[in-house]
Structure formats: C-alpha cells, structure tokens
Amino acid sequence: MKLARYVGGGEIAIVDEPAPTCPSGGLLVRTLASGLCSGELMDWYMEKKVPHVLGHEVCGVILESEDARFPAGSQVFAHHHAPCLACDFCKKGLYVHCAQWKRTKLIPGGMAEMFAVSAENLNDSFLVDDLRAIDAALIEPLGCVVKSIGRGGLTPLPSGGEAGESEFYEDEPGEGASAAVIGLGSLGLMHLLLLPGAAGYDLNPERIRHARSLGLDARPLDGREKADTIFVCPGSKPALDLAIELANPGATIVLFAPLPPTGEIPVDLNRLYFNDIRLVTTYSCGPEDTGMAAAILRSGRIRAEQVVSDFIGISELPEAYQKMKRGGILKPMVVF
C-alpha cells in the first residue's frame, strides 16, 4: 500500500509498504480521507520522529473488526491517541497526560491507504456513518479547537436543532466581552466559525480574503482591537507578542501551538502581572472534545470546504506539503 512518510529535512516521500494486519481486539481500516495537520510542518518537531508516517486527521471504512461495537463496512473516526479513562489523570480530564494516551497511535499512521486501530485506541473511536468522510476527518483537529475554546473559558454547546441553529456559549458573554483569533489557517478559521463576533488577524491577504468570504470578521494587523480572550494559533513569538498587545486587563491568552524549543523566550511578565492577564496552554484533545467536535460537524456549523483548500490524491501530497509550508495553500486533505 502507499503511504506518506516524513524522511527528514522538511521532506516527505510517498512509498510502498506492506499493509498492516488487524490487531487483537482492534480494527483494520481502509482510509477514506486524511488531512494534513499544520503541526506536521514544524521541522523541529518532526525531526525527532524520523522516520514517521504522517496522518492523524482520519476517517475510514472498517475492513476487519475484532470488536462487535465496530462492524465491518461501517465508517469510523479513530483518534491516534486514546486514554485509559481510569487513571488519576483521566479522572481529572487530563487525558493527554495519561500513559496510555501517550503510547497509543495508529499503525502505521493515517496518511496511508490502510491503517490499524488497536483495542486501546477504541476508547476514542466511534462510528460516523452519518458524516461525509471529508467532514469526519476533521473531528480530531476540531476537537483540539473545542478544547482550546474551553481552556479560554467558553463552552461549545451545539443544539440538537437544524444546521446553523447551534449555540456556542454556555452563558451569554458579559457586556463588552470579546474574543480574538491570531492566525487564519484552517485551525484559526475553526476557532472563528465557533466564536460569533470574534475578530481574526493574519498577515496573509489571501487568508483574510477567504475568511471574509465565510462571513467572518478577518482583519490585517492594523485593524486590531482589544479583546478579553485571545487564541494564538501560530507557534511564534510575534504572534504571542500581538496577543499580549491585544489583551484587555483580566484577559485570557490561549496558546494553541507550541513555540520552538530554542531556549528562553522573553515575555513581558511584568505586563501580564499588573494587568491580571492569564496565559494558558492547550495541547491536543480527548474523548469529550472529539465527541463535541462530531456534534458540531453533525449540526452543519462547519464543513470541510470552509477549512480545506485542496482535496488531492496521495501522490500530490509532497507538492501540497511544501505549498502549505510556504503559506501558498490553506490545507490539503488526501482523499483515497
């Protein structure tokens, strides 16, 4: 079967390797769609993983199953990490710190014509026959956005109504409350689509144009306004500096992506302290977040075409990888 492997030096290769077998108690899945995550563009992060099969934003159809809850022929979402649901971390909702979460993965990865799902991974896998494969492949990244927004103090609550009728806030935001999103890649767009009235900022005029075409408040950096909650999607010092500049007293700044481990990163802690600004992080997501993401996708609030610019075959991925890295395209998704 064909798969996409990161081989180092910022390059990926499409190679042929034997298909995996169905693991004991698990699933063998034929991939239908797999998105390219922006985290897979970070050389400093990926070099530690060489050789590494890309892909964790996936949806596929079950070919073989050793679990009666997941019959063959069904369409499935499988998270590449799944918690045990029983340890102290899991009981606190800190799923990403669970030892099982850290060791689980899709075999060999989601950017392949087939992948295997272990029995442990089924703790964050579920059937998605009612979703288009290209939408179901967004469950993992959207789950990360759901967690991010929750870490910012807001709670997504999609209703059971018709598409477009879902509400986002558990309580109405206070008078004058506002939110801002820095970075209008696909993940920044997902934040904005779930934050009515929020402002989004980007340096790239094409990303601003696309966001505006979705009816979103997208601005260049010279259109900035203060905000109470700021989501920082790029993992960069300038993006963090902008967030601090935008922050109202008492604001919360959410770091959605890690910054490169290049030593100390200077931050004006004095300014944060005297303005009571909270700086919080948000890493990946767990079963509660992916469940909420699936509900949002079922509501029709977010569709793949809004946040994916290129639906491609796997042979086109190396070129699309470099284009996304240069900022030339928003996001590719391989459709098998």
Side-chain angles (χ1 to χ4, degrees), residues 24-35:
S24 177
L27 312 175
L28 179 64
V29 179
R30 177 172 62 83
T31 314
L32 296 176
S34 183

Side-chain angles (χ1 to χ4, degrees), residues 159-184:
S159 72
E162 296 299 320
E165 293 182 358
S166 57
E167 294 296 330
F168 192 80
Y169 299 104
E170 180 174 15
D171 299 300
E172 287 299 316
E175 184 176 352
S178 57
V181 178
I182 298 172
L184 298 179

Side-chain angles (χ1 to χ4, degrees), residues 92-128:
K92 296 175 184 176
L94 299 172
Y95 302 112
V96 301
H97 302 287
C98 167
Q100 177 175 303
W101 190 95
K102 292 176 181 293
R103 72 170 177 263
T104 46
K105 63 180 181 179
L106 303 178
I107 303 168
M111 198 67 78
E113 291 179 319
M114 285 186 279
F115 62 89
V117 185
S118 72
E120 290 181 328
N121 280 86
L122 298 182
N123 279 350
D124 198 1
S125 299
F126 45 86
L127 301 181
V128 287

Side-chain angles (χ1 to χ4, degrees), residues 216-290:
L216 302 173
D217 181 358
R219 310 176 184 183
L221 300 191
D222 58 7
R224 66 191 72 174
E225 293 181 3
K226 295 285 187 177
D228 298 308
T229 311
I230 304 102
F231 300 90
V232 186
C233 293
S236 73
K237 176 65 164 50
L240 174 57
D241 289 340
L242 175 59
I244 294 172
E245 183 180 331
L246 293 178
N248 274 325
T252 298
I253 296 173
V254 181
L255 294 181
F256 186 78
L259 276 70
T262 53
E264 294 184 4
I265 298 174
V267 175
D268 189 350
L269 294 179
N270 186 273
R271 183 172 182 177
L272 297 183
Y273 179 89
F274 283 105
N275 284 284
D276 281 323
I277 295 170
R278 303 174 189 86
L279 185 61
V280 303
T281 60
T282 179
Y283 170 44
S284 192
C285 64
E288 295 168 357
D289 308 307
T290 55

